[in-house]
Amino acid sequence: MAFDIKLNNLSEKAEAGYEFEVKLPDGTSTDFFITVRGDLSPVVNKYTKQLATKQMMKEIQDKKRNKGEQPLDFDELESQLTEAASVRVITWRGLEEGEGNITEPTPENIKRILTQHTWIREQILEEGGNKANFI
């Protein structure tokens, strides 16, 4: 029996998403679940290409101005990591802020939560980058 690449299209599976339970840094369950796109998703690939293009253009401009290689500033790096994680979030369930105040996965809420709670952002990037989650 041959390998059927159509049945194993990781790009399509990465776009469909993978749901995982967010864990506290000590490994405690939270009953908070996030569905993420994988790194092979077309949406994630588009974001990655746009970011790379933007960085290349900045380097070209810096060279023209004889600035040499400029280090990435911490705030810019934090912003890029938050955006990279936000692009991966399809939806979530089980998140509240205050008793009974359900937090919907709107683009604004996603960016706010991932900016305020970097430990959640780290899990999104890790789960989205694990290609085994999309097989």
Side-chain angles (χ1 to χ4, degrees):
M1 181 176 209
F3 177 74
D4 189 336
I5 195 77
K6 183 136 178 83
L7 294 177
N8 293 283
N9 186 330
L10 297 185
S11 178
E12 286 178 3
K13 291 180 180 189
E15 187 63 33
Y18 169 78
E19 183 181 73
F20 72 95
E21 181 181 17
V22 174
K23 304 281 187 183
L24 289 172
D26 67 359
T28 304
S29 291
T30 61
D31 290 329
F32 170 33
F33 295 86
I34 300 177
T35 303
V36 295
R37 291 178 179 90
D39 285 354
L40 298 177
S41 152
V43 169
V44 174
N45 278 327
K46 180 179 177 183
Y47 166 76
T48 303
K49 287 176 185 176
Q50 288 173 340
L51 179 61
T53 300
K54 179 181 172 184
Q55 288 176 330
M56 286 189 305
M57 295 304 293
K58 184 180 181 305
E59 287 175 18
I60 290 169
Q61 290 173 352
D62 287 345
K63 283 181 182 178
K64 285 182 180 179
R65 295 182 189 136
N66 291 323
K67 286 187 175 183
E69 201 169 313
Q70 299 293 310
L72 191 62
D73 113 337
F74 183 74
D75 290 337
E76 188 175 344
L77 178 59
E78 283 288 313
S79 176
Q80 287 177 2
L81 288 170
T82 299
E83 188 64 30
S86 296
V87 160
R88 286 165 172 77
V89 174
I90 295 172
T91 192
W92 66 43
R93 62 185 174 89
L95 181 62
E96 295 180 356
E97 291 181 274
E99 290 185 37
N101 294 321
I102 295 173
T103 303
E104 298 295 332
T106 64
E108 297 79 20
N109 283 340
I110 292 169
K111 285 187 182 177
R112 180 176 55 81
I113 293 296
L114 299 184
T115 299
Q116 294 172 352
H117 304 280
T118 58
W119 58 277
I120 297 173
R121 182 181 73 201
E122 290 167 3
Q123 290 178 55
I124 290 168
L125 293 171
E126 182 178 331
E127 295 292 339
N130 184 351
K131 291 172 185 61
N133 289 338
F134 304 94
I135 295 177

